[in-house]
Amino acid sequence: MRPENYKPVQHSASHEYELYFGPNHPGIEGNYALKCVLSGDVVQSLRADGGYLHRGFEKIMEERLWIQNVALVPRICVPDPVPMEETYARAVEMLGGLEIPKRAQWIRALMLEASRVCAHLFYFGGHAATMGMYSNMFWGVTDRDLILDIFEEITGARIYHMYITPGGVRRDLPEGVLDRLSKVLDYVESRLPEFDNLFFDNAVVINRATGVGTLTTEQALSWGVTGPNLRACGLPFDVRRDDPYLIYDELDFDIPTETAGDAWARTLVRREELLQSIRILRQIIATLPKVGGPIRCALPNPLAWNVPAGSVYARTESSKGELGFFVVSKGGAKPWRVHVRGPSSMHAVHVLERLGPGSRLEDVAQIMFSLDACPPEVDR
Amino acid sequence: MSKGSFLRPLKALAYLGRPAVTLPMEPRPAAPNYRGFHVNDWEACIGCGTCAQICDNEAIDMVDIPELKADPLAGIKPRRPAIDYGRCCWCALCVDICPTGSISLSREYVHVGPDLNTYYILPDEKGIHGLNYPKGWSKSPDADLLDLKRQTMGEMEPQERLQSFAEMVAGFTPEAALMEASRCIQCGMCHDACPSHMHAPEYIRALWSGDAEEAVRQIYRTNPFSEVCGRVCTRRCEDACSLGNRGEPIAIRWLKRFAMDSLNHEQVRRIAAEGRELAPSGRKVAIVGAGPAGLTCAYDLARQGHAVTVFEALPHAGGMMRYGIPEYRLPYDRLDDDVDVIASLGVEIRYKTRVGHDISMERLRDQFDAVMIAIGLHKGRSTRVPGTNNENVIAAIDLLRDVTLGVAVDVPKKAVVIGGGNVAMDAARTLARLQTRAYGAVQVELVALEPADAMLADADEVREAKEEGVVIVNSRGPRCCIINGERLTGLETVRCLSIFDNQGRFHPLYDHEDAQVHEGDVVVEAIGQMSDFSLLGDKLTEKLDWNGPRPRIDQDGRTSEPWLWAAGDMVEGPDVIHAVAAGHRAAASIHNEIMVREKTP
Amino acid sequence: MNRELESLDAVFREMPDLKVEHTGPRRTRIQVEADALPTLLELLKGRAGYLHLSAISCVDWPDTEEFELVYHLWSYQVSNLISAHTRIPYDPGRYVSVYDLHAPAVYFERDIHEMFGVWFEGCPDQEPFILTEWQGPPPMRKSFDTVAYVNDTFEWREYQPEWANDPSGGKG
């Protein structure tokens, strides 16, 4: 709500009070608000309030050429933009019946996993910060920067790469970048014991996060939870494994799970996933030099590219869960409809509103962050 | 599950002893591929505006730069892109689509300033602050967004071609036409380069969207000879096409042909009649010569409601399009279609009526509100080297006319053609066909003054002529025809060292030591044509202002006589599309003139 | 595995009017009449293990004055995605909520209500979420013209850069 539109409400005397948590709050990821009704410091009810980052992407995408949307999609999710590029591109490829060259597929998988590592490093820092522990956040962001350097080398941009396009990728890898990525991965891996000392083996953190925001397996399934949050409830579902895309069925990786379903389990799952992503990246680094060929299939002139009519639903496992793009073409030069199923839209609204009641005020931020809710992607 | 430790986090205190992470104040060097501020090489940039078209944020405006030279024939517009960094998102699609590769992103990425106007830049090769930062993201063949390869089109094999005068190219299939049309970036260079300013971007886009009817409508806005120009146009448009900078230009000519082939004749007639003035103006215009200039003029004037009569000396309309262009390049029934569309607007064509013989120019002047002459260049020039007065030394244009008219031609077993232009190719290839029919073998030698890399004819024509067995001998000038008794037996040539003097005037230099004999029963001269102005009569010839061999005309095509206009090859040199353009100009001028004038009684 | 696949066939046998099409690996498209869709979803969930409602998408088709609703359902057991397509007319633009079957539907139905103006009977929450202060028509409808709205609402910035005085900068 815009400040000028805020009208104080006179409530009748009660033991309950209403508290706006956000939209400008250090414990909130992005601009997002939670309207909490509290009694003491126990949340009675919670309403998610989005829209502060609404840019109308789905609408704008209908106004733009197929290729132009490449510049738009990564902006849907700031911390993990690559899956957005990948899923949009793949949806267009499915519509157009395009066969992407092998090399492009491997490069795209590399980008996706590197982005997952970034997002998880960000996540640990963020999760710790919601408990008031900022060192972890500085560490995570600093280490993530090393991967951003690699992104910059490959794509010419650090955050919004606009690199994956329908048909492949836009540039081949620069000389020696795989070696440098390999060194960064070694470094990130070597940092994990230090993260463990500070965070994962920290008794205070474990105490603060255990039992917070607990999801049962049944709740997780019926509330539409996906991704690491679902795996933290003991369900080993992963789009990369169940609905494989690119070259994921040629990769060797585990799907880590935890059973507790609470904030701590969600963080532990991600710690394991970070290692799995490093494992995948090492396989890609070993394989990519052997995969030659073009990095993009032949495409028509993007100014006059009619994508065949039809509709597809493309899915990707992002760091936050299941990402879906439902793309409809009427056979024209622009998409007729693009519906983005943001991975955290379900977590940040539906799940959070149900997990919140009964928790304590100081845990609200932690619950939100442990679900890895990403407001820009909820708002789109 | 681990309960964790209270002490292990304290290990992080070791960081107090480590140096802090600090970064230098100056900007960190960006990656070699970085997408920073734009740079644009003004020399390479052609101002096509494709960057502005692809820009997903409308961050690019094309700014007119009056000081730059416009060169429509070379496909250069005097404008350059300006970038609004309030909108740019550095996606670099502008770089990946740029037809010339002039625009790149640099490795410079810091700009700070309170004045928002400084965020709107007109990039040159030095960058936003003139600091000459190295290029970052620039054109890569890996992922060029443009489709630089032309669609292929079926054509007959040389042996098959030689058997007849059937049209040798097949025309695009619908799929190929769609793909070819989709390559167009809509920059409009073709429109500017075309003498008649045809709406090529519009009709190509219409074809791309599957609307051939709309394409033909766009074509007819500026050209009633679209069947013809879809086949034999000199296509300045393709020379100017932006895609030609790094790849193959759009096959605009073949797309036009495809559009015309897609509709039946009735549909074309209906489209041509759309928007015509139905009420007669009461004005009458006479046009001498039913070639492209004359009939285009007739078409425009008829559409404006004027009564137009065209006088044509020969039995069919078309002028040089029919009597100069061989049928394997332009099937005459397609020309007939174009003429029929024009006639269907009420244009009267009087065939076999030779002005100056059957009716005088003075009569036309008295009976009509205006007169336009467009008589073309139907008289062949001669090299006038010794022996050219032999009866077996003929003009290419006469040969081509006779073949079209169906006059029996004595087919020489061996022939020599003098000339390196398209008419020479037409003559040589026509002879090749006649020889194949009569003797089953081609023996045509073509001697051209120009070296092989500077032939005047289209490269396609030269290639196809060679494929058909025509032997092309370059850098040779004729010295004399060899006459044995009365009989012509060949041509003697000498080596041509240079064609132009240092002032650019035609002044060939020969090495007379280097002589060569080309055997032939016939020598065909194809070194240029001129007009036969005898129709004007002595009095009018005397009265008119002349510009060398041609009547002087103003920019609207009007001669020094207020009632007389002239257009086409006779005043501008040989080219169909120029003639069409001149026809439009003359028509506009005539219309303006006669509408303000009193009707001729 | 086979048992579940058979059960999907059993669902199709039970609903003979469906148009079923396998559009790619692990993708099935079903065209279903609007009044039959809830039954289909129930059968898919109850008999064939399609537990996960991945998304509900809405598409505006102004030519026929219809909204197309697409229910994307994933089966964790057989790893297959069913996209069930159905169409409802603009007028009255109402449909039934599938919230009682799939709780996540509330999020998507609320979104579609907000962006397209479709009313879902039985949906527990159709409060504005993103456009809390928006007075205009549902903006995702094709009839809402973004460019016109922008031009009506915002000013285009006029720049007066220095180079405009001498754009050629001596290069002419």
Side-chain angles (χ1 to χ4, degrees), chain A residues 72-112:
Chain A
L72 214 57
V73 281
R75 289 168 166 76
I76 295 172
C77 180
V78 194
D80 194 9
V82 180
M84 297 291 166
E85 299 187 7
E86 161 64 26
T87 319
Y88 172 72
R90 184 144 34 84
V92 178
E93 285 152 6
M94 286 161 80
L95 278 171
L98 300 175
E99 194 72 46
I100 349 169
K102 260 291 188 257
R103 186 169 173 80
Q105 297 194 27
W106 282 87
I107 295 175
R108 278 156 71 155
L110 177 141
M111 293 293 294
L112 283 166

Side-chain angles (χ1 to χ4, degrees), chain A residues 64-65 67-68 71-72 75 139 142 149 152-158 160-163 169-172 191 193-194 196-198 201-204 206-207 210 264 268 295-296 299-306 333, chain B residues 1-6 8-9 11-12 15 18 21 28-31 33-35 50 53-57 89-93 95-97 137-140 142-147 179 182-185 205 208:
Chain A
R64 298 195 182 195
L65 300 173
I67 196 90
Q68 288 178 326
L72 214 57
R75 289 168 166 76
W139 287 10
T142 311
D149 287 346
E152 184 186 323
E153 263 197 73
I154 297 176
T155 71
R158 297 178 74 79
Y160 300 135
H161 314 127
M162 304 172 273
Y163 175 67
V169 295
R170 288 176 71 185
R171 290 289 186 276
D172 209 338
R191 291 272 293 146
E194 298 191 53
D196 288 344
N197 285 337
L198 187 67
D201 288 334
N202 186 331
V204 177
I206 295 172
N207 269 319
T210 306
W264 188 237
L268 289 178
I295 52 153
R296 208 193 64 171
L299 290 181
N301 168 16
L303 293 169
W305 180 16
N306 282 342
Chain B
M1 193 168 68
S2 156
K3 288 265 169 250
S5 156
F6 287 99
R8 278 177 63 186
K11 287 186 181 169
Y15 274 70
R18 295 194 197 175
V21 176
R28 194 180 54 89
N33 214 10
Y34 196 77
R35 290 188 236 161
T50 314
Q53 274 196 70
I54 194 76
C55 183
D56 43 310
N57 299 311
C89 74
W90 287 272
C91 64
L93 288 175
V95 176
D96 286 0
I97 202 163
W137 185 278
S138 37
K139 200 83 182 176
S140 151
D142 279 344
D144 203 315
L145 287 181
L146 292 179
D147 185 359
M179 288 306 289
S182 84
R183 295 172 62 219
C184 175
I185 54 176
R205 187 42 61 96
W208 170 70

Side-chain angles (χ1 to χ4, degrees), chain B residues 149-215:
Chain B
K149 289 227 44 100
R150 213 175 240 214
Q151 292 293 310
T152 52
M153 188 164 75
E155 70 178 43
M156 286 185 206
E157 292 300 313
Q159 272 316 309
E160 191 188 351
R161 299 199 304 244
L162 285 166
Q163 303 303 320
S164 71
F165 281 79
E167 186 170 26
M168 54 173 285
V169 288
F172 277 134
T173 60
E175 296 74 32
L178 187 71
M179 288 306 289
E180 187 64 22
S182 84
R183 295 172 62 219
C184 175
I185 54 176
Q186 300 280 302
C187 62
M189 295 291 185
C190 45
H191 174 92
D192 294 357
C194 176
S196 188
H197 299 304
M198 291 199 69
H199 296 86
E202 288 83 355
Y203 70 72
I204 292 174
R205 187 42 61 96
L207 283 178
W208 170 70
S209 55
D211 191 348
E213 190 171 322
E214 174 60 20

Side-chain angles (χ1 to χ4, degrees), chain B residues 6 13 58 116 179 189 192 225 230 233 292 297 360 369 384 410 422 435 445-446 475 494 558 586:
Chain B
F6 287 99
L13 289 173
E58 295 182 26
L116 285 177
M179 288 306 289
M189 295 291 185
D192 294 357
F225 279 101
C233 186
C297 185
S360 72
D369 294 285
R384 300 191 186 174
D410 269 343
N422 284 330
Q435 287 176 337
E445 227 174 319
L446 184 146
S475 300
V494 288
R558 201 169 185 177

